[in-house]
Amino acid sequence: MKLLVCVSKTPDTTTKISFANNDTEFNTQGVQYIMNPYDEWYALVRALELKEAAGGTVTTINVGPAANDTVIRKGLAIGADDAIRVDAPENCSTYYVAKQIAEQAKAGGYDVVFFGKETIDYNGAQIGAMVAEMLDMPFISYATKMDVAGNTATISRDIEGGQEVVEVDTPFAISAAKGLAEQRIPNMRGIMMAKRKPLNVVPPVDVTEKVSVASYALPPAKKECHYIDAEDMDKLVELLHSEAKVI
Amino acid sequence: MILVYTSSPEGQLKKSAFEAVTYGYKAAQAMGTEVVALTIGNVDNAGVLGQYGASKVLNAAGADSFDSGVHAAVIAKVAEQVGASVVVMPDDSTGKSLLGRVAVRLDAGAVSGVKSLPDTSAGFAVKKNVFSGKAIVDFNISSDKKVLSIAGNTFPPEVVGGDVAVEAAGVDVPASRVRVKEVNTVKGTVPLPEAELVVSAGRGMKDPGNWGIIDELAGHLGATTACSRPVADVGWRPHHEHVGQTGVAIRPNLYIAIGISGAIQHLAGVNQSKTIVVINKDPEAPFFKAADYGIVGDLFEVVPRLNEAIKKFKAAN
Ligand SMILES: Cc1cc2nc3c(=O)[nH]c(=O)nc-3n(C[C@H](O)[C@H](O)[C@H](O)COP(=O)(O)OP(=O)(O)OC[C@H]3O[C@@H](n4cnc5c(N)ncnc54)[C@H](O)[C@@H]3O)c2cc1C
């Protein structure tokens, strides 16, 4: 099978967040980037497992500047065969990214296009659905288990308050949630080999942006913690009832 | 016109549906227009959406199982039919699976997890939380049509009218390419993303056999239970209880964290809770910085005491 895995970079959760240019831009100075965990731990690893079981190729795709190559090389070190980077500026919209991925996916004729369920910075969860629509493919979101026999996949997915099992034929798009695979740590051999694997840089197609960032703000400061004597739980119950009004 | 799509798992409208219609109604009032609500498949009592401000309720029959492709096609067709400039849906797993598809179909700009009414003073701007709640971004949507999914537990449902008659949407429902084999939902408890009260415990519990006091507390409150990631990873608790950056993100009215240190990845999934109570024996635990109420003490003493206090309170109220 020909598998495409979309990988994005995201600031590490422990990063300090600040803004530039009159609060209209995210300040990337000193930000530590990682591969989005849903892309790396679940989507990429499940794609590799399918390839190992039944043959085929695993290609990763990223839309962004050359600085993203570190994250892309990590994907190659974990085991992807080759990578595509659509050369684009840092802060493009989800629609812009989806359009670039759809163009490349169309040209490549992939059987399955993998996404993480969302990125952990903007939590948009939009790109998978957008690409699926652009490619007119079924989209199976929040997948926690995926088995493939011939051209048919059986997939468990998270739904409100439970799980659903669906069957779908290739080609289709899927978004990965926790459970789809187990994280793999790249080994030395993988890291060495990754340096020689193809990373193809391609130009973007033109897109008219529909959504832009007007400004960023920090959330209002949290008020001080109100400490309550561990002996006096009646007091806590009283405060939850009359002050916080939650019980 | 504003079109609100309301998801209806197993034919039931949930709070998220009423929240979405309430949001649509408020936005429509500000923009001088009306709300049409759309349900898809077999839905019980959809006319009730009128109470939250829908002037019309449409139903598209013939798509009882969920397929994002089919649902998006129906929503986009109805949006065109009623001349909707804004499409609103809940930010649940259904809404998030649809938002991008509907946006592409309508050539619309989309924002998910919206937490403010649209500001139309100069264009069309909405806010959402980003970077695990460490920042708020104001997005401007410049396209003619807009698609929004609304953050849960942010716009409380408000009754503003009465039931309305449900009309057929009158659109073709395309054939599905996804075959649903099984649907398994947890019965009897409120699923975590919808829960208003959550009792959560972590590694401080020491042993899975100690969870009795947690279940008792959740039982007294009518709360849903959650846990930290390491506890789910070692199999002490089921995976669907894992909250945080890599688990479920929740924003209940009350989150009680017991024996959880408050690592940033954990906070990422719970720091939008309206009220946070932290019970931890370590006064330096980082969770206290995010807490509204803190109790420094041994959970094996504090939680049974809290159970007694709540029992007493419930008996008196
Ligand atoms: C990329 C990444 C993603 C992650 N995602 C998540 C996530 O989604 N969710 C998540 O939860 N974690 C996540 N983690 C893990 C996170 O960093 C923490 O390791 C984890 O949250 C710690 O769990 P804990 O608080 O239960 O355990 P600990 O950190 O071990 O804390 C236990 C706490 O219990 C207290 N305690 C012990 N005994 C008692 C007692 N008798 N009475 C009262 N208090 C007691 C201790 O003081 C301590 O504060 C992630 C980590 C990484 C690197």
Side-chain angles (χ1 to χ4, degrees), chain A residues 182-199:
Chain A
E182 291 279 339
Q183 181 182 8
R184 283 188 188 179
I185 311 291
N187 58 25
M188 209 52 212
R189 186 163 161 271
I191 294 167
M192 294 313 291
M193 276 169 56
K195 294 189 176 138
R196 277 172 282 124
K197 288 179 177 171
L199 194 173

Side-chain angles (χ1 to χ4, degrees), chain B residues 59 72 81 96 102 141 143 185 222 241:
Chain B
N59 175 261
Q81 201 172 280
K96 280 189 183 162
V102 175
I141 310 183
S143 51
T185 47
E241 279 196 1

Side-chain angles (χ1 to χ4, degrees), chain A residues 12-14 34-35 37-38 41-42 120 178 183, chain B residues 200-206 211 227-231 233 236 242-248 255 257-270 278-288 295-303:
Chain A
D12 186 21
T13 327
T14 52
I34 55 170
M35 199 188 309
Y38 293 107
W41 302 355
Y42 310 126
I120 61 168
K178 178 182 175 180
Q183 181 182 8
Chain B
S200 186
R203 256 202 326 222
M205 295 296 294
K206 308 275 190 301
W211 247 264
C227 69
S228 68
R229 178 173 145 200
V231 159
D233 282 353
W236 289 5
H242 158 196
V243 290
Q245 181 195 293
T246 45
V248 186
Y255 184 75
I258 300 163
I260 302 175
S261 57
I264 189 143
Q265 297 89 355
H266 182 87
L267 294 179
V270 304
V278 170
I279 301 174
N280 198 304
K281 69 174 181 191
D282 173 10
E284 302 296 322
F287 221 142
F288 286 117
I295 298 101
V296 179
D298 186 333
L299 69 91
F300 296 106
E301 291 163 19
V302 174
V303 177

Side-chain angles (χ1 to χ4, degrees), chain A residues 69 83-87 199-203:
Chain A
D69 287 354
I84 303 169
R85 180 168 61 80
V86 181
D87 195 26
L199 194 173
N200 302 308
V201 180
V202 300

